[in-house]
């Protein structure tokens, strides 16, 4: 829930990432330097200030809705009188907007939510106008995924990097870049990127899926495909043998073959061992990514089997 905690605690339940506390020591880094890239709204407040407690939740709500296009820095007036003096803050709440390393707008006192929204919209529009090179992220993600599916790893990496330069917290692009390293067999680099993912996206579904793909890739050297194929040849309706072969095929990079193998098991008996084959197939889809052409085609075939 957005807003203040108790009268003495202005950090309780506060959102992370786009909203943070600032003091005299880190004002330069968190406001002046940060505003060179992204507009920063600085809210001077005090624990004893009633209007501050009304304004803060509205500011937080509006900033969070901007999804990273603006940042909110909160300054406790009582604890940072030097900052207040430097910016000539005479009453609270006082709100400044910094962009390009300097203050560009300000207001004092409680304001209607519509006024605050207009204040933030103006900042967002100014920042967008200053980035004419902005790319179409959804289209670029689509192009990168196609390049990755076609094993054009250099093209895919370049496209994913373009997206991350514009939005460093874009989970699909970050995950896609890791996938290019997995596809290239550079698993140490993939592991390092996964371990050092930005905090905002570290727990995303995209990175969870990449983790699955990386774990499977690490097991590739221990797979004996020939033995797994022989086990299926001896008994083509042995569900466990089919699933073992499918997992082996997927791990060594025979992803299309793996999907076909596990679909055979589902065709024979979709309910075997509590839907083990279907669960294996869903794991493959997760590792591939939901937008991968093999995932899309595999889901169509699965639906055809299940609903035939």
């Amino acid at each position: 829930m957005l807003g203040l905690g108790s009268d003495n605690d202005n950090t309780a339940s506060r959102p992370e990432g786009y909203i943070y506390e600032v003091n005299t020591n880190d004002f330069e880094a968190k406001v002046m330097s940060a505003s060179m890239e992204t507009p920063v709204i600085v809210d001077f407040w005090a624990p004893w200030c009633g209007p501050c407690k009304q304004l803060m939740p509205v500011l937080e709500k509006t900033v969070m809705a901007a999804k990273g296009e603006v940042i909110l820095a909160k300054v406790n007036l009582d604890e940072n009188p030097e900052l207040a003096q430097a910016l000539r803050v005479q009453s609270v709440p006082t709100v400044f907007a910094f962009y390009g390393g300097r203050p560009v707008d300000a207001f004092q006192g409680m304001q209607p939510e519509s006024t605050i929204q207009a204040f933030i919209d103006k900042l967002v529009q100014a920042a967008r106008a200053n980035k004419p090179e902005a790319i179409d992220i959804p289209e670029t993600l689509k192009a990168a995924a196609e390049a990755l599916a076609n094993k054009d790893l250099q093209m895919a990496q370049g496209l994913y990097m373009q997206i991350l330069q514009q939005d460093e917290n874009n989970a699909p692009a970050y995950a896609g870049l890791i996938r290019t390293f997995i596809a290239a067999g550079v698993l140490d680099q993939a592991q390092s990127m996964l371990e050092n993912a930005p905090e905002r996206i570290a727990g995303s579904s995209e990175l969870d899926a990449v983790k699955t793909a990386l774990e499977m890739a690490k097991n590739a050297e221990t797979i004996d495909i020939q033995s797994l194929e022989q086990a299926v040849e001896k008994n083509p309706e042995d569900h466990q043998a089919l699933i073992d072969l499918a997992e082996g095929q997927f791990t060594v990079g025979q992803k299309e073959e793996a999907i076909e193998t596990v679909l055979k098991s589902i065709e024979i008996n979709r309910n075997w061992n509590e839907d083990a084959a279907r669960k294996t197939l869903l794991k493959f889809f997760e590792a591939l990514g939901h937008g991968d052409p093999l995932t899309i085609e595999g889901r169509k075939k699965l639906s055809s089997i299940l609903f035939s």
Side-chain angles (χ1 to χ4, degrees):
M1 179 178 179
L2 301 182
L4 299 174
S6 67
D7 288 350
N8 296 318
D9 179 10
N10 193 45
T11 65
S13 302
R14 71 177 174 83
E16 295 291 340
Y18 305 144
I19 302 174
Y20 45 67
E21 303 288 342
V22 173
N23 57 44
T24 304
N25 295 328
D26 57 17
F27 189 86
E28 173 65 31
K30 289 188 173 182
V31 175
M32 304 296 285
S33 295
S35 73
M36 298 302 295
E37 295 289 335
T38 305
V40 180
I41 296 170
V42 181
D43 177 26
F44 281 89
W45 68 280
W48 42 264
C49 168
C52 295
K53 296 177 184 180
Q54 294 178 306
L55 176 64
M56 188 74 74
V58 181
L59 275 175
E60 290 185 335
K61 172 186 173 183
T62 315
V63 166
M64 290 302 290
K67 298 181 179 179
E69 292 196 84
V70 292
I71 295 169
L72 175 60
K74 300 187 286 190
V75 180
N76 185 323
L77 179 74
D78 292 349
E79 295 177 356
N80 300 278
E82 302 90 344
L83 282 178
Q85 183 177 3
L87 290 170
R88 299 181 182 178
V89 175
Q90 299 179 343
S91 63
V92 286
T94 292
V95 176
F96 288 92
F98 280 77
Y99 186 51
R102 62 187 179 86
V104 294
D105 206 348
F107 68 80
Q108 291 183 326
M110 180 59 192
Q111 301 292 327
E113 184 171 345
S114 59
T115 300
I116 295 171
Q117 184 66 63
F119 180 82
I120 289 178
D121 287 346
K122 181 179 177 182
L123 284 173
V124 170
Q125 290 168 9
R128 288 177 179 174
N130 201 38
K131 296 179 180 178
E133 76 285 357
I135 61 173
D136 185 327
I137 288 181
E139 285 300 316
T140 306
L141 278 172
K142 182 179 178 182
E146 290 176 355
L148 179 57
N150 293 327
K151 302 191 186 307
D152 188 347
L153 303 185
Q154 186 173 359
M155 172 66 76
Q157 286 181 353
L159 292 171
Y160 285 131
M161 286 300 298
Q162 284 183 37
I163 296 169
L164 292 171
Q165 286 170 1
Q166 185 166 311
D167 178 8
E168 63 181 8
N169 293 300
N170 187 289
Y174 195 91
L177 186 57
I178 295 177
R179 288 182 186 279
T180 67
F181 289 113
I182 294 174
V186 190
L187 303 188
D188 288 345
Q189 179 67 26
Q191 182 67 47
S192 176
M193 282 194 66
L194 193 57
E195 291 174 353
N196 294 286
E199 185 178 352
R200 294 180 194 169
I201 63 173
S204 66
S205 60
E206 291 87 354
L207 264 65
D208 284 343
V210 165
K211 190 179 299 182
T212 300
L214 181 56
E215 289 171 354
M216 296 183 75
K218 287 180 177 179
N219 294 327
E221 295 180 359
T222 64
I223 301 299
D224 184 350
I225 289 293
Q226 187 174 2
S227 296
L228 295 172
E229 290 173 340
Q230 290 173 351
V232 171
E233 288 173 5
K234 289 180 182 178
N235 187 354
E237 296 192 1
D238 183 334
H239 290 285
Q240 191 59 60
L242 284 166
I243 291 173
D244 290 344
L245 173 58
E247 290 185 335
Q249 289 171 324
F250 194 94
T251 300
V252 300
Q254 299 174 13
K255 296 180 172 58
E256 188 171 2
E257 293 88 341
I259 291 173
E260 293 299 328
T261 299
V262 81
L263 284 170
K264 285 181 185 176
S265 176
I266 296 172
E267 280 185 304
I268 296 168
N269 184 350
R270 68 188 65 174
N271 299 318
W272 179 82
N273 194 19
E274 299 181 346
D275 296 333
R278 187 177 64 83
K279 291 174 183 176
T280 299
L281 187 57
L282 294 180
K283 183 174 70 172
F284 292 168
F285 292 161
E286 179 184 43
L288 285 167
H290 298 301
D292 189 281
L294 289 178
T295 297
I296 296 170
E297 185 62 27
R299 287 191 181 279
K300 290 179 182 177
K301 291 182 178 179
L302 176 62
S303 296
S304 177
I305 294 170
L306 295 179
F307 299 107
S308 61

